[in-house]
Amino acid sequence: MRSLKVFKYSAVALFSSALFSMSSCSIDVVPQDRYVEESIWADPSTVELYVNGMYAELKKFQFGLFPNLGYDNAMDALADGMKFTSNTPGNGTVNILISNANQFSPASVGLNYWGSGYDRIRRVNEFIGGLKTKSQLSDEDKVKYEAEARFIRAYAYFWLAKLHGSVIIFRDIEAYATKDNPRSSEEEVYDFMLEDLDFAASNLPVTNKSGRAAKGAAYALQSRIALFAGSIAKYDQKQFNTDPLTGIKAARATDYFTKAAAAAQATIDLGQYELDANFESIFTNKNTKEAILRVDFVAPTMTHQYDLGYAPPKDALGNTLVYGVPTAELVDEFEMKDGSKFSWDNPAHAANPYANREPRFYASILYNGSAWKGRTINTSTADAAEGFVQFGAQGDPKRTVTGYYTKKFLDPKNTNFVVNKSTQSWIELRFAEVYLNLAEAKGQLGDFAGASTALSTLRAKRTLPAVSLPNLTKAMEIIEHERNVELAFEGHRFWDLRRWRKAHTVLNATKMTGHKITPNGADFTYEVVPADASDRSFTGKLYYLPIPEGEVQINLGLTQIQGW
């Protein structure tokens, strides 16, 4: 099992990894003597490189990536807000996964982070062990660096827990002395993560270097994880898996929701972050006060290719890749400017569907008639370069199959991204999510006034009217809508549906849709058409994905998740 390897000269290996993450040059020769390892721990600058290297874990999930799955926003394409355009393996792997739940098995997990996650956890534990036994840093610095390391460990464990529920806990480097390691219960795994984040929040500074976790990041991640745990405790109820180690006792739901609310409020009380009045600029402004923790890029050495993957074709003379496009389901979720619901059954709305919509719509979606980079977007069937094409008509069409393109994250000033690539930051933890977490946790605790205040504070910054959440049913309905719109394309929706145990109803036996837009004189007609070639497939079994088969075979203490 990769996660249980004994890494000789582990400090040197980690140092090399950190250096690699900080530059474009690989290190081919690793010093092999003990003296060099000890000298690394004696130099504070190399410890900084250790820590910087650990934050590379965030880059594995930037812009909705998932390790080994491929492309930016792949996680949103697993849900109902984005449709990947290709139907061929590679660009279209997500479409293959969502079309048949039987694609998931111990031999072909589909969403596999096990080896990668446990490699990171091993490195973190080695680092913490080195801090305590070899480092010559001050006690104050040791505690601070341990806090950052435990933040990263909780982050890695959270991805493992979201996939499998019950996984192996390694508390320290001494735990690796045991060859065969069993899974801990899902409840124990979540408690372990929250314990790590308690330590991080208590010992991290209020401000830290760019791209590094500070106190607010620990609280914000804790609110996310505790909300997830509370949701499982409330909604799973052992309906979908009989494994004795999966699931969380329903009696613990209140504990977790209380923790989520307290952590969200603590983030707000720090006074370090602000909701940005200009929603569109949040994702291209490196100085936005909404960013609690972000991954920065600087040309030419550290770049990404989001624009190449998602910009409409004419941005680069037909050379964009258009991996995914917004679904009609998501587009219709955006409200009107006055806060009322959009409806195709409303004649005024249907006659001019993109007029008088809320600001987040115009910041997130490129639609037929959008002004973009000095031109007017035409997604109708009349435009052979950028207009609608039926999904499946071409294997890899590189244009919209729903009548829309994404706008969120795209850099409107970047006109040469094919050559120069892109440098927008990825915001891993955003202040708006904290308000959404607070609203949901308070709603689950029966504090509907507090939930209403939290959600209305966020909506006010989006120039939308306040809302009233009078009971839990209505609160969850409104909060789900708000999360769907506010966090679109940020990689949350698929996991929200899973923690609420709604994925098997929203993502099963249904097709997502698009709008086929056809010129009709001076106007257009809008036809709802399927964006999926076949019904989607999500069964309750998928709430707990299997552990990769090879890991179970190597680790004699590890049992497979029951049902697989």
Side-chain angles (χ1 to χ4, degrees):
M1 181 169 136
R2 286 186 301 274
S3 57
L4 301 183
K5 282 182 181 178
V6 176
F7 289 90
K8 192 175 182 181
Y9 311 111
S10 57
V12 177
L14 183 55
F15 173 54
S16 300
S17 173
L19 278 177
F20 182 79
S21 74
M22 296 296 289
S23 72
S24 59
C25 300
S26 63
I27 297 176
D28 298 318
V29 179
V30 178
Q32 294 292 306
D33 60 279
R34 184 82 178 179
Y35 172 76
V36 172
E37 184 177 354
E38 297 294 347
S39 69
I40 288 172
W41 279 110
D43 185 351
S45 65
T46 59
V47 177
E48 274 288 301
L49 289 176
Y50 271 62
V51 177
N52 281 331
M54 288 192 294
Y55 282 92
E57 205 64 20
L58 275 62
K59 296 189 69 175
K60 294 179 182 177
F61 303 96
Q62 67 189 30
F63 298 103
L65 278 171
F66 191 89
N68 303 316
L69 189 56
Y71 306 104
D72 300 321
N73 268 328
M75 282 186 280
D76 274 73
L78 290 168
D80 54 351
M82 173 169 282
K83 174 64 184 177
F84 264 31
T85 60
S86 175
N87 62 3
T88 59
N91 290 4
T93 297
V94 170
N95 287 326
I96 295 170
L97 289 177
I98 64 177
S99 66
N100 185 354
N102 292 326
Q103 295 286 337
F104 294 86
S105 73
S108 179
V109 176
L111 298 176
N112 186 357
Y113 176 63
W114 189 275
S116 178
Y118 274 112
D119 280 350
R120 176 60 62 194
I121 290 164
R122 173 68 187 245
R123 295 293 181 91
V124 168
N125 283 333
E126 288 175 334
F127 175 75
I128 294 173
L131 273 178
K132 294 179 177 179
T133 61
K134 302 171 185 175
S135 172
Q136 299 176 32
L137 296 171
S138 68
D139 289 344
E140 181 181 0
D141 282 344
K142 286 180 182 179
V143 171
K144 173 184 173 294
Y145 284 130
E146 181 181 352
E148 288 193 77
R150 291 177 70 168
F151 174 90
I152 296 295
R153 186 169 67 181
Y155 181 83
Y157 263 114
F158 187 39
W159 282 107
L160 289 166
K162 287 193 290 187
L163 292 168
H164 310 290
S166 164
V167 296
I168 304 168
I169 293 176
F170 291 101
R171 290 186 173 272
D172 48 43
I173 195 62
E174 286 75 23
Y176 295 88
T178 303
K179 178 183 176 183
D180 298 316
N181 297 271
R183 291 185 281 125
S184 294
S185 72
E186 186 169 10
E187 188 171 322
E188 290 171 326
V189 172
Y190 275 94
D191 287 343
F192 179 58
M193 289 184 275
L194 295 174
E195 177 187 319
D196 267 352
L197 291 170
D198 277 338
F199 183 90
S202 296
N203 293 288
L204 284 171
V206 174
T207 61
N208 204 350
K209 297 176 182 178
S210 177
R212 300 265 288 271
K215 195 177 292 288
Y219 281 132
L221 183 58
Q222 190 172 67
S223 77
R224 180 189 289 179
I225 291 175
L227 191 63
F228 209 102
S231 300
I232 294 169
K234 178 153 190 173
Y235 296 114
D236 185 74
Q237 302 287 309
K238 296 297 292 182
Q239 300 174 74
F240 307 102
N241 191 279
T242 58
D243 192 302
L245 295 175
T246 63
I248 297 175
K249 293 189 294 290
R252 292 293 309 279
T254 297
D255 295 342
Y256 290 121
F257 289 134
T258 300
K259 187 79 167 177
Q265 189 62 57
T267 312
I268 295 168
D269 291 345
L270 287 171
Q272 295 294 305
Y273 316 104
E274 296 175 10
L275 293 170
D276 200 323
N278 186 343
F279 185 77
E280 183 172 348
S281 74
I282 292 170
F283 309 99
T284 55
N285 174 17
K286 294 184 184 296
N287 296 315
T288 177
K289 293 284 283 185
E290 278 210 22
I292 298 173
L293 181 63
R294 68 177 189 260
V295 177
D296 286 335
F297 299 86
V298 180
T301 56
M302 296 184 66
T303 58
H304 58 83
Q305 300 198 70
Y306 189 87
D307 292 273
L308 180 65
Y310 287 90
K314 290 181 183 178
D315 272 26
L317 302 177
N319 290 316
T320 58
L321 302 175
V322 193
Y323 293 137
V325 291
T327 62
E329 283 74 18
L330 174 63
V331 170
D332 291 350
E333 277 286 305
F334 289 91
E335 297 170 27
M336 302 302 292
K337 185 177 181 179
D338 63 3
S340 61
K341 286 188 175 182
F342 170 84
S343 174
W344 287 98
D345 294 329
N346 183 316
H349 294 178
N352 197 356
Y354 310 129
N356 298 313
R357 302 291 285 271
E358 62 161 294
R360 291 178 297 191
F361 173 79
Y362 298 110
S364 303
I365 308 294
L366 288 173
Y367 54 90
N368 190 52
S370 290
W372 177 246
K373 291 186 177 179
R375 70 181 192 276
T376 299
I377 296 288
N378 183 352
T379 63
S380 77
T381 54
D383 192 318
E386 235 163 42
F388 173 87
V389 59
Q390 184 66 49
F391 175 74
Q394 302 175 28
D396 197 9
K398 295 184 174 64
R399 53 197 260 224
T400 183
V401 296
T402 64
Y404 305 98
Y405 294 95
T406 63
K407 182 179 181 183
K408 193 177 190 177
F409 301 129
L410 294 181
D411 183 352
K413 297 180 181 178
N414 190 346
T415 58
N416 198 21
F417 53 77
V418 174
V419 176
N420 294 333
K421 301 183 181 178
S422 303
T423 58
Q424 306 93 295
S425 297
W426 162 248
I427 303 176
E428 174 61 41
L429 291 166
R430 185 157 70 86
F431 200 38
E433 183 200 345
V434 171
Y435 275 92
L436 291 165
N437 294 349
L438 180 61
E440 183 175 345
K442 283 185 173 290
Q444 290 286 1
L445 293 169
D447 180 4
F448 301 116
S452 300
T453 298
L455 202 57
S456 295
T457 299
L458 173 60
R459 286 174 59 83
K461 279 292 185 179
R462 307 306 181 226
T463 69
L464 290 166
V467 291
S468 175
L469 310 180
N471 54 58
L472 184 58
T473 300
K474 191 64 176 177
M476 289 305 297
E477 175 189 324
I478 294 173
I479 289 166
E480 179 177 349
H481 156 78
E482 203 68 32
R483 289 183 69 91
N484 199 8
V485 171
E486 175 72 30
L487 303 176
F489 314 134
E490 295 181 51
H492 292 269
R493 176 66 172 167
F494 180 63
W495 307 105
D496 282 345
L497 291 173
R498 285 172 65 88
R499 68 181 173 88
W500 293 325
R501 296 306 190 244
K502 295 183 67 171
H504 66 291
T505 58
V506 175
L507 303 178
N508 191 56
T510 187
K511 293 183 178 73
M512 298 306 130
T513 63
H515 292 136
K516 181 180 179 181
I517 304 170
T518 307
N520 182 16
D523 298 319
F524 296 93
T525 59
Y526 303 87
E527 178 187 357
V528 178
V529 294
D532 292 323
S534 59
D535 280 356
R536 297 194 175 200
S537 176
F538 189 106
T539 62
K541 186 177 181 179
L542 298 186
Y543 287 122
Y544 292 103
L545 294 180
I547 297 166
E549 189 172 67
E551 306 290 352
V552 177
Q553 292 173 347
I554 293 172
N555 180 357
L556 300 181
L558 181 62
T559 56
Q560 183 59 267
I561 304 289
Q562 283 189 16
W564 295 98

